[in-house]
Amino acid sequence: MSRRSAIRLLAGAGAVLGAAGCAPSVPAGAGLRPAASAPPAPAPGAEANGAARVETLLEQLTLEEKTALLHGAQDPAHLGQAGYVPGVPRLGIPALRIADGSAAVAVARPATALPAPVLLASAFDPALAREYGRVLGREGRALGQDVLLAPTANLIRTPHAGRNFETFAEDPRLTADLVAEVVRGIQDEGLIAAVKHFALDNQEKGRDTVDVIAAERTLHETELRGFEAAVASGAGAVTGASNKVNGVHAGESRPLLDEVLRGNWGFDGWVLSDRGAVHSTVAAIGAGLDMEMPGGTHFGRPLREAVRGGSVSEDTVDLAVHRLLSTMDRFGLLAPRRAARPARDAAAGARTARRVATSGAVLLRNERATLPLAGAAARSIAVIGPTGQVPLTGAGGSAHVVPEAAAAPLTAIRQRAGNGSTVRYALGEDPYGRPLPPTLLTPPADLDDRRVDGGAAWSHEGTFTLAADDEWTLFLHHAGRRPAVRLDGEELFPVRQGVAEHPAGGLLAAAPDGLTVRRRTLTLKAGAHRLSVSSPTGAQDRRFRLRHATRATRAADLAEAVKTARAARSVVLFAHEDATGGGDRTSLGLPGGQERLIEAVAAANPRTTVVLNTPSGTTMPWLSRTGAVLQMYYPGQEGAGATADVLFGDVDPGGRLTQTFPVHEEATPVGGDPRRYPGVGGRLEYAEGVHVGHRWYDAQRAAPLFPFGHGLSYTSWQYETLTVRPEHGGLTVEFTVRNTGRRKGTEVAQVYVGPSPELRLDQPVRALAGYRRLTLAPGAAQRVTVTVDPRALSSWDPAVRAWVLGAGRREVFVGRSSRELPLRAKAVVASR
C-alpha cells in the first residue's frame, strides 16, 4: 500500500467506526428557508473528485507549506478576526479566516448582536436554534470569514463559571439538541462551525493549567453529549480545550481526540487548538491535534525539525493536512469556482435577534399581578438602573461585539407606554463614577479630561485627606495607552497577562463616549493618602480621566432612586452583572450596591419588577420583597424592544430556565467542596458523576431557588391524560396540555424518565428525555406526543465501553419543570 493510500484509509477510518453508533436524536429543523450563497450540494461523483483533488494537492505541497497550513499567522489584510491561516497561492489553496462567534461574528465591522446562547437555549426550541445558527453563518460569510469558533458545547457545571452565558444548559440532552441545530444552521450558509471547547472546559479559574479528573462514564453521559451531537450534525471542526483531562492536556489526549472523537464518533474534520492551548509538538500532533492557534510556537519550525529529526513521521503531518483540506473541499473552498459571498441581511438578523430575546425571556416571579404592565400601572412607570439607560447587549472577551445600533430599554419602555404616560428615570448606581473635585489634591489637578499629545509625557502627584474611613471606587477612563495610577504606592490598574487583561463586558467596558473603563474598589482609612497619575511618552495621543464613587455619592444615587420609585405606580429596575472570559464570578449575588438598591426601591414600591441582565444563576436575598423578576440574560441588540414586549404583555414570556438557580452560594453540585470547584493543587474532580445540574438537586433532595425548566406564564396551564407505550426500542409519551387562562400563551412541556431497575449503575433520579414548546389560545388544548428514543433510556457502561439500554419498568414524569411534574406513569422497556 502506498503512503498516500494509507493516509486515505486513516482519514476515512473514523467515519466507518462512527457509522455503527447511535443515530442522532436531534430534530432535523425542516421547513427553514434555503441557505444563502452556501456551497451547492455535491454533484454525483463530486466526493471522488474532491478526494482526488486533495490527494493531488498533498503530493505537491512541500513540508514548509504543509506546516504553514497547520498553524496561525498574521493576517496581512486583518479584518479583526481571531485567527488566520495562510493558504498556498501557487496551488490555489486559499487562506482561512477564523472568527469568534458565540452570539455574533466578532470582527472589526458591525455585526448582528444576537442574544447570548443561554437565552437562546431558554426557548427550548431547536428550530429557533437552527435559525440562530443561520444568522451567524450568513454574517460570517458576508464579513469575510471561513470558520466560526462556535457553538460552545460545554455544560453549565457551576454558576460561578465566567462564560456560562455562551453555553446552553446544565442538562446534557438539551445541550446536545441545541448545539446540533446551531451547527447545522451555521453550516447551512457555507461557514465551517468549530464547536468548542473539547472537553471539560467548564470554568475560567485555572483553565489553562487545571487537571480535570472525570470518570469515563461521567464524560460520556454529561460533558461529551453536546460534542457528540455536533459531530453527528456534521461539524467541520472542533476546538480543543486549554485544560488537562485526566492528567493530560486536552490537546494531547489520545483518548479524547483519537479514540472518542475520531474512533467512536467518526469525526472526519480537523481539530484546532484554543488560543495558546498547545504545549508540545510531538505529543500534540501524535494525539490528533491538527492545528495550533493563533501562532506557530509548536507547529511551525519545531514541527518541521521534528519531521526531519524523525520524532514525527511526515505521514502524521500529511494526515493533519488531509483533514484540513478535505473539510475545506467539502465546503467548496478548494473548488475552481467558489461560491460568492452573500451580502449581510441586517434586517433579517435583527428580526431573529428580537424573536430569540422574546422567546427566551424567563419570568421567574410574578406576585400581585405585577406583570404584565396594564392600566394605571402602565401609565406611571419608574425605570431604575444603569442598564435601563445604557443597553447591556452582550458580554465581554471573545463574545464581545459592537452592534450597528441598540436602543436603550428606557427608550423602548417610553415608546411602548405611549402618549399620556409618565416614565421617570433614576440611575440608582453609577457605573462610571463622578469627577474628582479639582481641589481634592494638594497641589490641585483637574483629572476629569486630561489629554496628552503624542511624543509628550504627563504626570501629577498629590495628597488628599479623609476625615473618616470610607469605601472608594476609582474609575479610570482612557483612550490609547493606559496611564499608571498609584494610590499610596500601589498600582491600581496594572497590565496583566493574557485574557486577564481583557476588560469586562459591554456595559462596563466602555464609557458612553467610548473610552475604556477600569475600576477598583478599596477601603480607605481616615487620614492622608498619596495619589499619583503618570502617562509616559508615547507616539500616539492619549486621553484619560479619573473618577470616583464614595459612600456619600452612592447614598445620594440610592435616595434619588427611592424618590423616583415612590412617585410611580410601577417600577422596572434593571440589575446587571458583566461577565467575560478570563475570570469566574467571585459571588453569585449582584455586584456593587445593587442588592441594597433593590431592597430600598421595593420597600418604597412593592410593584417593582427586577429585570436581570446577568450571565448565570443569581442568588436573591431580596426576592420576597419584589413584585416580579424577569431573567433576560444578555438580550442582544434588540433586547430593549424584546424586554418591553414582555413587560407589557405583547408576548407571553415563553422561556424556561436551562440551569438551576441555587438558594445560596454553596447549595450547588460543586458548592462547599473545593476539590469539585475551583480545584485543589491544580486538580479538579467531577465527583458528582452523572448527577450534573438538576440531577444533583434531585439526588440530594435539595431545594433550589428556582428549578431547572422553571418559568411562569401570563396564563395558566393544565396537564391531562398521560399515556406511555413502548415503541421502536424507546417510549412514546402522549398527554394533553390545556390553556386554562384568558390569554394566549406559550408553554414548554417537559418529559423526564426515572432509573432502570435492571441496570447496576448509578442513575439520575430523573433525566430530561424530551420536551415540546407550544403556543395555545385561551381555552385551547393540544394532544402532545414526545418520542423518548433509546439513547435517552440508556447509560454508558464502562465495563463494555458502550451505551446499554436501561430495560425494565421505567417511570415517566410530565410537567412544567423538573420540580413541577403533575403527570406520572410507568411503562416497560424491553431489553434488545
Side-chain angles (χ1 to χ4, degrees):
M1 182 182 294
S2 70
R3 190 162 67 91
R4 299 296 178 203
S5 298
I7 291 168
R8 282 201 304 272
L9 180 63
L10 286 170
V16 175
L17 288 168
C22 292
S25 58
V26 293
L32 298 174
R33 63 179 176 84
S37 299
E47 187 174 340
N49 291 339
R53 182 162 46 239
V54 170
E55 291 299 323
T56 300
L57 288 172
L58 263 176
E59 291 283 1
Q60 298 177 74
L61 287 167
T62 67
L63 179 61
E64 286 74 11
E65 290 170 334
K66 291 173 189 175
T67 57
L69 289 171
L70 301 184
H71 67 79
Q74 186 69 36
D75 187 351
H78 190 50
L79 304 180
Q81 79 276 8
Y84 171 80
V85 178
V88 183
R90 73 178 185 87
L91 296 178
I93 300 174
L96 282 179
R97 288 183 170 88
I98 304 170
D100 285 313
S102 295
V105 180
V107 293
R109 291 168 55 193
T112 299
L114 294 165
V118 69
L119 182 56
L120 165 68
S122 300
F124 280 71
D125 188 344
L128 185 60
R130 183 88 168 247
E131 183 179 336
Y132 185 101
R134 281 190 162 174
V135 171
L136 293 173
R138 181 180 183 118
E139 294 221 332
R141 292 258 301 139
L143 293 168
Q145 303 303 303
D146 306 293
V147 183
L148 195 68
L149 300 172
T152 300
N154 304 108
L155 295 183
I156 296 175
R157 180 173 178 261
T158 168
H160 285 92
R163 296 173 76 176
N164 282 346
F165 59 87
E166 68 175 75
T167 63
F168 293 90
E170 67 186 18
D171 185 83
R173 171 58 188 261
L174 180 61
T175 298
D177 288 353
L178 300 177
V179 162
E181 291 305 307
V182 172
V183 167
R184 289 189 176 103
I186 292 170
Q187 298 191 162
D188 283 346
E189 302 294 332
L191 196 69
I192 301 170
V195 63
K196 61 183 185 181
H197 307 86
F198 190 65
L200 297 175
D201 186 353
N202 302 110
Q203 65 187 59
E204 291 297 280
K205 194 175 184 67
R207 67 185 292 240
D208 295 326
T209 57
V210 68
D211 185 8
V212 183
I213 308 301
E216 179 183 328
R217 182 162 178 245
T218 300
L219 273 165
H220 281 275
E221 291 202 27
T222 62
E223 174 77 358
L224 295 187
R225 290 289 303 279
F227 293 98
E228 182 182 9
V231 170
S233 65
V238 168
T239 304
S242 300
N243 49 278
K244 295 178 181 177
V245 175
N246 294 326
V248 179
H249 283 289
E252 300 173 4
S253 174
R254 188 178 292 275
L256 277 179
L257 301 180
D258 189 49
E259 296 175 18
V260 173
L261 182 63
R262 294 195 170 96
N264 294 349
W265 299 345
F267 177 66
D268 58 0
W270 90 92
V271 181
L272 65 156
S273 77
D274 197 7
R275 187 176 186 87
V278 180
H279 302 274
S280 67
T281 299
V282 177
I285 198 166
L289 184 71
D290 301 308
M291 181 180 288
E292 177 185 9
M293 296 301 295
T297 303
H298 298 281
F299 277 25
R301 178 183 294 176
L303 180 56
R304 292 191 295 273
E305 291 176 348
V307 171
R308 290 168 180 143
S311 57
V312 172
S313 167
E314 190 167 353
D315 287 354
T316 302
V317 174
D318 286 353
L319 185 55
V321 175
H322 189 285
R323 291 165 179 154
L324 171 64
L325 294 180
S326 295
T327 307
M328 292 176 67
D329 188 70
R330 172 187 157 198
F331 282 82
L333 298 178
L334 300 182
R337 297 181 62 184
R338 295 169 201 153
R341 292 188 182 273
R344 274 194 69 221
D345 190 343
R351 287 193 297 270
T352 297
R354 180 114 170 207
R355 184 181 169 205
V356 171
T358 54
S359 299
V362 185
L363 184 60
L364 298 176
R365 173 181 170 85
N366 193 21
E367 300 295 320
R368 303 180 293 277
T370 299
L371 292 181
L373 298 173
R379 294 191 296 271
S380 174
I381 305 170
V383 176
I384 296 172
T387 46
Q389 189 176 45
V390 180
L392 179 52
T393 60
S398 62
H400 182 56
V401 66
V402 178
E404 289 172 299
L410 175 62
T411 301
I413 290 170
R414 280 179 171 154
Q415 289 175 344
R416 179 57 182 81
N419 296 331
S421 63
T422 301
V423 180
R424 302 177 178 88
Y425 176 73
L427 184 62
E429 184 174 62
D430 189 349
Y432 305 118
R434 301 187 183 187
L436 291 164
T439 58
L440 174 73
L441 294 178
T442 303
D446 184 357
L447 298 175
D448 197 49
D449 193 3
R450 177 63 56 179
R451 298 172 187 268
V452 183
D453 294 334
W458 185 90
S459 64
H460 183 85
E461 182 170 334
T463 60
F464 64 96
T465 302
L466 295 182
D469 294 354
D470 202 350
E471 182 181 85
W472 276 39
T473 299
L474 282 169
F475 302 82
L476 175 64
H477 305 199
H478 70 95
R481 184 177 177 183
R482 185 159 79 240
V485 180
R486 291 182 175 83
L487 182 62
D488 298 328
E490 179 188 359
E491 173 61 66
L492 299 185
F493 308 105
V495 176
R496 304 185 187 279
Q497 297 300 313
V499 293
E501 176 59 16
H502 293 173
L507 172 75
L508 300 183
D513 63 355
L515 269 63
T516 300
V517 177
R518 307 272 171 167
R519 52 189 51 77
R520 179 77 178 272
T521 299
L522 313 100
T523 300
L524 300 183
K525 297 292 186 181
H529 297 273
R530 187 175 74 260
L531 179 68
S532 68
V533 182
S534 61
S535 180
T537 302
Q540 303 298 320
D541 293 348
R542 283 143 287 153
R543 180 185 172 201
F544 64 87
R545 54 180 170 253
L546 193 63
R547 292 189 169 184
H548 77 314
T550 66
R551 288 188 182 128
T553 66
R554 285 188 282 267
D557 290 336
L558 182 62
E560 180 64 23
V562 168
K563 179 182 176 182
T564 304
R566 286 196 178 118
R569 293 293 297 271
S570 56
V571 176
V572 180
L573 191 157
F574 287 83
H576 70 274
E577 180 181 355
D578 263 15
T580 187
D584 285 345
R585 303 164 74 193
T586 57
S587 168
L588 301 186
L590 292 169
Q594 293 183 96
E595 293 188 348
R596 293 191 300 272
L597 176 65
I598 294 172
E599 295 268 5
V601 168
N605 189 330
R607 292 186 60 85
T608 293
T609 296
V610 176
V611 179
L612 292 170
N613 294 135
T614 50
S616 190
T618 302
T619 54
M620 304 180 193
W622 39 265
L623 181 66
S624 63
R625 295 167 178 80
T626 63
V629 179
L630 178 64
Q631 178 69 55
M632 292 299 296
Y633 296 107
Y634 299 143
Q637 68 180 51
E638 303 299 316
T643 301
D645 288 344
V646 176
L647 291 173
F648 286 89
D650 298 332
V651 297
D652 197 42
R656 303 296 183 261
L657 289 182
T658 68
Q659 56 188 303
T660 307
F661 277 35
V663 175
H664 56 80
E665 297 274 343
E666 294 189 354
T668 75
V670 301
D673 186 349
R675 295 173 302 170
R676 297 189 185 190
Y677 176 82
V680 176
R683 176 185 168 99
L684 179 75
E685 299 178 14
Y686 277 44
E688 67 273 18
V690 299
H691 303 290
V692 65
H694 60 93
R695 301 175 180 183
W696 178 86
Y697 286 86
D698 289 341
Q700 299 297 317
R701 298 183 179 179
L705 182 64
F706 295 112
F708 174 88
H710 171 74
L712 303 178
S713 169
Y714 290 149
T715 188
S716 54
W717 301 92
Q718 185 171 313
Y719 285 69
E720 305 167 348
T721 323
L722 172 64
T723 62
V724 183
R725 64 181 183 274
E727 199 166 69
H728 306 303
L731 298 173
T732 297
V733 181
E734 294 184 354
F735 52 93
T736 298
V737 177
R738 188 180 304 277
N739 181 348
T740 57
R742 299 181 178 180
R743 298 174 59 97
K744 178 182 178 181
T746 298
E747 176 67 327
V748 176
Q750 300 160 47
V751 177
Y752 298 80
V753 295
S756 163
E758 296 186 12
L759 283 183
R760 298 297 179 257
L761 296 168
D762 187 24
Q763 300 169 69
V765 175
R766 282 180 292 276
L768 181 69
Y771 48 88
R772 178 67 55 81
R773 182 183 176 92
L774 62 156
T775 299
L776 295 177
Q782 181 174 327
R783 191 69 178 165
V784 176
T785 301
V786 174
T787 300
V788 179
D789 57 39
R791 170 61 71 86
L793 300 168
S794 300
S795 295
W796 182 267
D797 188 345
V800 296
R801 307 198 74 183
W803 291 94
V804 293
L805 185 66
R809 196 169 181 82
R810 305 288 294 266
E811 190 166 15
V812 175
F813 309 81
V814 176
R816 305 196 66 242
S817 78
S818 64
R819 289 297 178 91
E820 188 179 346
L821 299 165
L823 302 183
R824 299 186 180 192
K826 293 183 179 180
V828 175
V829 176
S831 58
R832 292 179 177 178

